Amino acid sequence: MKGYFDYASGCPVDERVLEAMLPYFKIPGNPSSVHSQGYQAREAIEKARESVAELIEAEPNEIIFTSGATESNNLALIGFALRNKDKGRHIITSKIEHMSILNPCKFLQKNGFEISYVPVDKDGIVDLSFIENSIREDTILISIQHANNEIGTIQPIEEIKEISGNIPLHVDATASLGKIEVDIQTLKADLVTLSSNDIYGPRGVGALFVRKGVKLHPLILGGGQERGLRSGTENVAGIVGFGVAAEITKKEYKEESERLKRFRDRIIENVLKIENSYLNGHRERRLPNNVNVRFSYIEGESLVLSLDMEGIQASTGSACSSKTLQPSHVLTAIGLKHEEAHGSLLITLGRYNTEDDVNKLIEVLPSAVERLRMMSPLYRRR
Amino acid sequence: MYSEKLFEHFRNPRNVGEIENPDGVGTVGNPVCGDLMTFMIKVKDDVIEDIKFKTFGCGAAIATSSIATEMAKGKKIEEALKISKKVVADALGGLPPQKMHCSNLASDALRMAITDYLRKTNQIERIKELGLEKELKILEGEETEEHEETSEVEEFLND
């Protein structure tokens, strides 16, 4: 994992998590069975539920396990809308949400709901007055991410809650969990999306916090597991892993974030010394592990490939690296032109980054940028 | 998703740079789409004696530029015009499907540079014979490439 700076795309599973999971691959019992093997699996799941709940200061029975953040977001949006459509058909969300929010919103729009998309400023902070003005009698849900996975900007969730009063609030905390405090008591959210892999747990597991009294319609129907909100035999080993990852996160995240923040600030300071480079996202209200920069005259995919040749793995919001050949919707929402978004580089730090990694990145990046600029016809024009 | 051959050209691109007093210059693509290439050629006795490129774009854009210049160098004009998108892609061991359209512009840049050379040397008849009328129109500003954001490009370049 030396030189890995793409933690927002994927995290390795912590060794301690993996150790704890292994025995549960061998337990045959279905958690719904009454015999001892089933009971053992059930107990493990409930223990994990407590650990995840504890991480965000929630009650265990407010945690619904899912297959990951995408499913949690779908359940929060579509599940909530279906169950509460008698109260209204208007939902407010932001322009820089993850696609697992924006695409469910699109689906709801096609099915009789109205969505207001809140714009953001150049740093990626949502427009609070827009939210205030968008609220209507029939607004049933507001969904705003805690922090952005691409530009790292942290949203003023508490202020949004003040504005929105009693309107249920969903917060996608996928990017923020384990980086900054995610506390249900201060966020005052009614639904919160959590992902296991982003805190070094296994993939294929996530959770949705559902505050007591909030009603949802399940999207996956069957045997009625997870209080009927998510049927299907539980992914026991995965859930156990998520639980242990939550315990480790609870204990270690503050210290870890302080360490990563120092790395982050050093990287930002050094990268911005490169001529015509700019930081994307807010300088202070920013995840401790996120650096998103852009360089004029070059394209991001070729920069990612150049860095990979030097043993550094990072990411980009350039269109050329996406399936849709569209630049990142987050970068265009903060006002970047397409040609500016093409030159973006996303560096996300994590648990296993070392001082050496950071030194290497700082050493290698300027020459990689320079090499591509020397090839660029845009640079020539200067 | 990229072939070893493509990576090799990306790592060590051939013929990067510019030619002083080129006989022909061809620029295609635009930075809004994420790819822009400029090819410059020096022609002697109808042979492409020297060729250089500069490219803004993804790995595929840089590698296709590199291999296209390598193939064109030393070739007679008529032979160089046979370097099509498919020829370039095949020479690199194939390109991912989504890169075929947007990043495989090297053969277009080459055609444009050749047309520019023929135009500057008053070989208008040959332009017609070689089927380069469309390139000529673009060069003369009568027709734009299939991109609508030309003004934005200019804005960006002059920024």
Side-chain angles (χ1 to χ4, degrees):
Chain A
M1 255 174 307
K2 253 177 88 185
Y4 187 75
F5 288 96
D6 198 13
Y7 282 85
S9 299
C11 288
V13 174
D14 189 296
E15 273 299 326
R16 295 166 286 182
V17 170
L18 186 61
E19 279 299 309
M21 287 172 70
L22 286 175
Y24 290 93
F25 284 108
K26 293 183 180 169
I27 290 179
N30 185 317
S32 300
S33 301
V34 268
H35 52 62
S36 57
Q37 290 288 335
Y39 180 73
Q40 212 180 333
R42 164 63 46 205
E43 249 200 333
I45 289 175
E46 294 317 317
K47 184 166 177 282
R49 201 184 305 279
E50 280 170 30
S51 304
V52 172
E54 216 170 288
L55 177 60
I56 60 167
E57 305 293 337
E59 295 295 325
N61 62 7
E62 293 174 313
I63 300 295
I64 303 296
F65 286 118
T66 66
S67 67
T70 289
E71 188 190 325
S72 297
N73 281 341
N74 273 264
L75 179 59
L77 269 286
I78 301 172
F80 187 90
L82 291 179
R83 182 63 194 263
N84 295 279
K85 60 176 188 281
D86 293 344
K87 294 177 192 145
R89 287 172 173 258
H90 179 238
I91 292 170
I92 299 172
T93 190
S94 89
K95 288 186 171 174
I96 62 167
E97 299 299 311
H98 191 263
M99 295 319 284
S100 59
I101 294 288
L102 295 178
N103 279 327
C105 282
K106 241 194 236 169
F107 169 82
L108 288 171
Q109 265 175 307
K110 282 184 195 151
N111 286 276
F113 288 83
E114 267 183 80
I115 317 283
S116 297
Y117 295 96
V118 184
V120 296
D121 66 14
K122 66 174 186 14
D123 293 324
I125 307 266
V126 292
D127 183 338
L128 291 173
S129 62
F130 186 98
I131 297 180
E132 199 165 4
N133 295 329
S134 302
I135 293 173
R136 319 190 309 211
E137 284 256 303
D138 61 341
T139 304
I140 51 170
L141 183 69
I142 297 177
S143 176
I144 304 285
Q145 62 192 187
H146 194 192
N148 187 271
N149 57 315
E150 287 182 45
I151 55 172
T153 300
I154 300 165
Q155 299 299 344
I157 299 295
E158 289 163 57
E159 287 173 59
I160 294 168
K161 187 65 201 172
E162 265 172 44
I163 291 170
S164 59
N166 291 330
I167 301 168
L169 175 67
H170 168 242
V171 173
D172 177 1
T174 307
S176 59
L177 190 68
K179 311 320 184 273
I180 56 175
E181 188 179 74
V182 179
D183 181 336
I184 299 308
Q185 308 308 323
T186 42
L187 288 181
K188 296 192 176 69
D190 302 282
L191 297 159
V192 178
T193 291
L194 309 166
S195 150
S196 154
N197 185 238
D198 288 72
I199 58 166
Y200 308 92
R203 290 199 179 141
V205 194
L208 183 65
F209 159 81
V210 184
R211 188 178 289 281
K212 237 169 257 162
V214 174
K215 301 278 186 250
L216 301 177
H217 197 290
L219 302 184
I220 296 177
L221 308 169
Q225 287 87 347
E226 296 297 302
R227 291 180 24 225
L229 287 175
R230 207 287 179 181
S231 287
T233 298
E234 296 87 340
N235 171 6
V236 182
I239 290 170
V240 166
F242 188 11
V244 175
E247 285 167 30
I248 295 170
T249 299
K250 179 103 187 161
K251 270 190 244 129
E252 300 181 357
Y253 91 89
K254 276 189 182 142
E255 206 176 303
E256 188 168 285
S257 288
E258 277 309 310
R259 190 176 72 95
L260 298 182
K261 201 172 170 179
R262 282 196 297 276
F263 287 165
R264 177 197 75 182
D265 292 341
R266 240 190 95 205
I267 294 169
I268 291 176
E269 189 194 324
N270 278 280
V271 169
L272 293 183
K273 284 181 191 161
I274 298 174
E275 194 194 347
N276 296 106
S277 62
Y278 310 89
L279 185 69
N280 297 323
H282 200 284
R283 179 63 189 87
E284 281 86 35
R285 284 158 72 173
R286 180 178 205 99
L287 289 176
N289 71 325
N290 176 290
V291 180
N292 191 323
V293 283
R294 64 180 193 275
F295 303 98
S296 306
Y297 323 122
I298 63 172
E299 188 280 322
E301 192 218 77
S302 54
L303 182 57
V304 167
L305 293 176
S306 301
L307 291 173
D308 197 22
M309 289 174 354
E310 305 288 341
I312 301 280
Q313 286 86 42
S315 208
T316 174
S318 166
C320 306
S321 73
S322 75
K323 286 188 195 110
T324 53
L325 296 178
Q326 287 298 315
S328 148
H329 68 285
V330 176
L331 297 180
T332 47
I334 61 171
L336 297 192
K337 294 180 187 166
H338 281 206
E339 53 269 34
E340 292 172 317
H342 290 313
S344 74
L345 181 71
L346 172 57
I347 296 162
T348 42
L349 296 144
R351 186 166 288 170
Y352 304 101
N353 281 127
T354 61
E355 196 88 46
D356 279 354
D357 284 341
V358 176
N359 291 339
K360 175 99 185 271
L361 173 68
I362 289 170
E363 184 203 316
V364 162
L365 187 56
S367 52
V369 170
E370 183 63 14
R371 185 182 93 100
L372 292 172
R373 281 184 173 170
M374 293 316 284
M375 281 189 229
S376 170
L378 300 171
Y379 197 50
R380 179 177 61 89
R381 300 234 177 174
R382 287 272 140 171
Chain B
M1 65 179 218
Y2 286 150
S3 70
E4 208 20 70
K5 179 97 178 176
L6 189 149
F7 274 122
E8 203 273 309
H9 273 270
F10 177 73
R11 266 190 293 269
N12 308 299
R14 281 60 140 177
N15 307 310
V16 177
E18 290 164 32
I19 293 173
E20 239 179 275
N21 305 317
D23 296 324
V25 180
T27 294
V28 296
N30 77 51
V32 180
C33 293
D35 288 298
L36 179 76
M37 305 177 180
T38 299
F39 275 35
M40 295 185 180
I41 54 171
K42 200 90 192 160
V43 183
K44 198 180 175 191
D45 302 331
D46 214 41
V47 169
I48 297 177
E49 197 181 52
D50 196 11
I51 180 164
K52 297 270 188 216
F53 81 89
K54 280 207 164 182
T55 291
F56 161 87
C58 66
I62 290 170
T64 50
S65 304
S66 168
I67 203 159
T69 56
E70 194 179 57
M71 288 192 287
K73 199 168 178 173
K75 280 210 169 71
K76 286 202 147 223
I77 287 211
E78 258 187 270
E79 289 302 307
L81 286 171
K82 289 179 184 158
I83 302 168
S84 64
K85 284 184 200 292
K86 187 175 182 315
V87 169
V88 171
D90 288 350
L92 287 171
L95 280 178
Q98 78 272 23
K99 297 284 182 189
M100 274 306 278
H101 167 72
C102 69
S103 309
N104 194 0
L105 300 172
S107 55
D108 293 343
L110 178 62
R111 290 173 76 81
M112 209 70 102
I114 289 171
T115 311
D116 186 43
Y117 157 71
L118 295 172
R119 180 179 70 144
K120 282 176 180 158
T121 48
N122 296 315
Q123 304 185 57
I124 303 301
E125 275 311 307
R126 262 192 97 197
I127 288 180
K128 284 177 190 159
E129 275 168 38
L130 295 167
L132 296 167
E133 291 105 324
K134 193 179 153 218
E135 282 78 2
L136 179 65
K137 278 185 182 163
I138 294 170
L139 282 174
E140 311 235 290
E142 287 169 26
E143 219 174 86
T144 49
E145 274 184 83
E146 291 155 15
H147 303 289
E148 285 164 7
E149 303 90 335
T150 323
S151 59
E152 236 178 295
V153 179
E154 286 306 312
E155 215 174 275
F156 181 66
L157 291 173
N158 299 326
D159 180 25

